[in-house]
């Protein structure tokens, strides 16, 4: 395998900035959503993905890939959301192994109430602190990393469009 290619100072700076920002951003978004809407950041992402899907539903395997979660982890989250009346599950008539998760009216209403505060915090913590050039660079760089990881991902064929 050879010697590892250690990160140089510039690469470490970029990696540490990304990692620290991701962790802080995710934690702050999670806190805000729990406080304002009673759901976690991951649950918000699940509801948002379902809201953007045709008929507001996705096959569970596709949804797991779309939110970068394991199938068992997604099953747990969907169970929590289902108990709260925010999603429903159904089996596929033509393939009993396939299970779909769908957004309920209550789930859509919660998402619509949660979205303004969520977007405001995303703007405050990330979007509005960067210049347009920095936003473009961030989007281009992370978009390329995302594209490469998706191409090598086991569920790339199941992943919903980004």
């Amino acid at each position: 395998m050879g010697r590892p290619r250690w990160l140089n100072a510039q690469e470490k700076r970029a990696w540490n900035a990304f990692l620290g920002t991701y962790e802080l951003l995710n934690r702050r978004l999670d806190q805000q959503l729990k406080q304002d809407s009673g759901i976690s950041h991951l649950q918000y992402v699940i509801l948002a993905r379902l809201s953007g899907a045709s008929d507001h539903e996705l096959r569970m395997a596709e949804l797991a890939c779309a939110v970068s979660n394991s199938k068992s982890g997604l099953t747990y989250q969907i169970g929590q959301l289902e108990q709260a009346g925010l999603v429903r599950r159904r089996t596929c008539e033509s393939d009993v192994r396939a299970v779909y998760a769908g957004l309920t009216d209550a789930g859509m209403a919660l998402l619509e109430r949660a979205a303004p505060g969520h977007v405001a915090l995303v703007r405050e913590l990330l979007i509005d602190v960067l210049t347009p050039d920095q936003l473009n660079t961030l989007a281009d760089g992370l978009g390329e990393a995302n594209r490469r990881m998706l191409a090598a991902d086991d569920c790339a064929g199941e992943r919903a469009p980004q």
Side-chain angles (χ1 to χ4, degrees), residues 37-118:
S37 305
I39 59 173
S40 69
H41 187 220
L42 176 57
Q43 290 169 336
Y44 177 90
V45 171
I46 291 168
L47 296 177
R49 287 291 182 162
L50 291 173
S51 77
S54 175
D55 296 327
H56 300 287
E57 73 175 13
L58 288 169
R59 191 174 176 153
M60 290 282 285
E62 182 181 355
L63 182 57
C65 290
V67 300
S68 300
N69 202 294
S70 67
K71 289 178 185 175
S72 64
L74 178 68
T75 298
Y76 173 79
Q77 293 297 327
I78 292 295
Q80 297 295 305
L81 293 168
E82 191 174 35
Q83 284 180 346
L86 304 173
V87 299
R88 65 179 165 2
R89 280 186 263 207
R90 73 168 181 87
T91 56
C92 180
E93 294 174 8
S94 61
D95 182 359
V96 293
R97 297 170 298 162
V99 177
Y100 286 82
L103 191 61
T104 64
D105 290 343
M108 181 60 91
L110 179 93
L111 186 61
E112 288 171 351
R113 286 190 312 273
H118 175 72

Side-chain angles (χ1 to χ4, degrees), residues 133-154:
D133 286 344
Q134 289 170 324
L135 278 173
N136 283 332
T137 300
L138 180 69
D140 290 346
L142 294 178
E144 178 59 19
N146 189 37
R147 185 193 65 73
R148 288 182 187 205
M149 286 186 277
L150 288 176
D153 200 329
D154 289 342

Side-chain angles (χ1 to χ4, degrees), residues 4-23:
R5 289 183 50 221
W6 300 110
L7 301 180
N8 65 33
Q10 177 188 26
E11 293 164 340
K12 273 190 224 178
R13 181 174 167 259
W15 173 246
N16 287 327
F18 167 77
L19 196 56
T21 301
Y22 168 78
E23 290 171 351

Side-chain angles (χ1 to χ4, degrees), residues 32 44 114-124:
Q32 179 267 326
Y44 177 90
H118 175 72
V119 171
L121 190 57
V122 168
R123 283 197 158 285
E124 176 189 331

